[in-house]
Amino acid sequence: MAQARAKLKVSQRDTFGSRATRRLRREGLVPGVVYGQGGDARPFQVPARDLRTLLAEGQTLVDLELDDSNAVPVVIKEQQHHPVRGEVMHLDFLEVRLDEEIQSEVAIELEGTDNAPGVREGGVLEHVTREITVEALPTEIPERITVDVSEMEINDTINLASVAVPSGVKFMADEPEEITIATLSPPRVEEEPEPELEEEAELVGEGEEAPEGEEGAEGEEDERARDSATRETGREGASEGEGGGGDSGGNQ
């Protein structure tokens, strides 16, 4: 179950816009908004160091103290993180009543992964579903749902229906047996190329040399045609020479 509530002190935020927000972050502050029961929104700013400490403790329910006002119980509604550094860029809180059930996202964690027989045999353990929506009183919302996978064999699957539900908590799932939490698959083996495929590749490579032979044959045929044409030209020239000699002798 959730631990004793931590208290987070924040101050009212009066500056808005992207330029003002960047300035706040440079000063080590994180902007945020707390939404009240009536839908009213109150902007605030909080030291980044205090927020990191709070989040590291895994607190689900927090007493938020805005300036000098009385602390009110809140839950984290939404967090925006930097895409590279992972630090919190913006935070939304939701004010709650301790006697009214609320819905909240809770992380699912696996334990006993190294002890699973299937993992020791080289199987691949995949964590499929990492969060689940639960409904409970704010004080009953767990920090996390822990699933024991230490007995999983190869080809085993754990679904939400087989996960123990904490007291006072309800999983918001219509078909829990259809929600996969973890699977353990056989070892992945890379297949080597079959010898037949290699032989076919060699044959294809040999066949590609055929065009060179064809070009050689065509070159020889062209050479023979040129030699034949040269010889025909020579014979025609000789015949013309003989004819020209006869005419000259007659004129004399």
Side-chain angles (χ1 to χ4, degrees):
M1 293 300 165
Q3 299 175 352
R5 297 200 302 275
K7 179 177 290 188
L8 181 66
K9 292 185 177 182
V10 301
S11 57
Q12 183 175 345
R13 177 164 54 97
D14 299 320
T15 57
F16 306 94
S18 57
R19 180 176 299 181
T21 299
R22 286 194 297 269
R23 185 172 63 253
L24 283 177
R25 295 188 181 114
R26 286 196 298 269
E27 295 173 357
L29 299 171
V30 177
V33 177
V34 55
Y35 294 91
Q37 290 286 324
D40 58 314
R42 289 168 288 173
F44 67 84
Q45 57 194 33
V46 58
R49 179 179 298 179
D50 295 347
L51 183 59
R52 284 195 300 268
T53 300
L54 176 76
L55 298 177
E57 295 174 353
Q59 295 285 348
T60 303
L61 183 64
V62 179
D63 281 338
L64 188 71
E65 184 177 317
L66 180 59
D67 290 329
D68 295 328
S69 62
N70 293 331
V72 294
V74 299
V75 294
I76 296 175
K77 183 175 184 290
E78 184 179 3
Q79 300 180 52
Q80 296 178 12
H81 295 264
H82 190 279
V84 177
R85 298 191 296 269
E87 61 191 26
V88 178
M89 305 289 288
H90 190 276
L91 184 71
D92 289 343
F93 283 116
L94 176 65
E95 186 178 345
V96 295
R97 290 177 56 93
L98 299 182
D99 57 352
E100 291 183 0
E101 292 185 340
I102 62 171
Q103 293 186 5
S104 178
E105 295 292 325
V106 177
I108 297 177
E109 296 184 0
L110 305 182
E111 67 175 5
T113 55
D114 295 336
N115 297 326
V119 173
R120 292 202 302 268
E121 294 172 9
V124 179
L125 179 65
E126 182 179 2
H127 190 176
V128 180
T129 301
R130 297 178 177 271
E131 283 188 341
I132 181 65
T133 302
V134 304
E135 184 176 83
L137 292 174
T139 55
E140 298 295 328
I141 295 177
E143 298 171 20
R144 64 186 64 86
I145 301 293
T146 303
V147 179
D148 184 8
V149 297
S150 62
E151 301 297 326
M152 289 187 72
E153 304 276 355
I154 288 179
N155 293 323
D156 279 355
T157 297
I158 294 180
N159 55 40
L160 186 61
S162 61
V163 176
V165 183
S167 176
V169 176
K170 178 182 178 182
F171 289 159
M172 302 305 294
D174 295 333
E175 298 180 351
E177 64 279 356
E178 298 296 328
I179 299 178
T180 301
I181 303 300
T183 62
L184 215 166
S185 306
R188 297 170 182 170
V189 179
E190 295 184 1
E191 297 182 359
E192 297 182 357
E194 298 182 1
E196 295 181 359
L197 298 178
E198 295 179 356
E199 293 176 1
E200 290 178 5
E202 292 176 359
L203 292 175
V204 170
E206 294 174 358
E208 292 176 352
E209 298 177 358
E212 297 181 1
E214 293 176 0
E215 292 177 0
E218 291 176 358
E220 293 176 1
E221 291 178 0
D222 292 342
E223 185 66 29
R224 287 196 295 272
R226 286 194 294 270
D227 291 345
S228 177
T230 301
R231 288 194 294 274
E232 290 294 334
T233 303
R235 284 196 293 273
E236 291 176 0
S239 298
E240 291 176 358
E242 291 175 359
D247 293 340
S248 177
N251 293 331
Q252 294 175 354

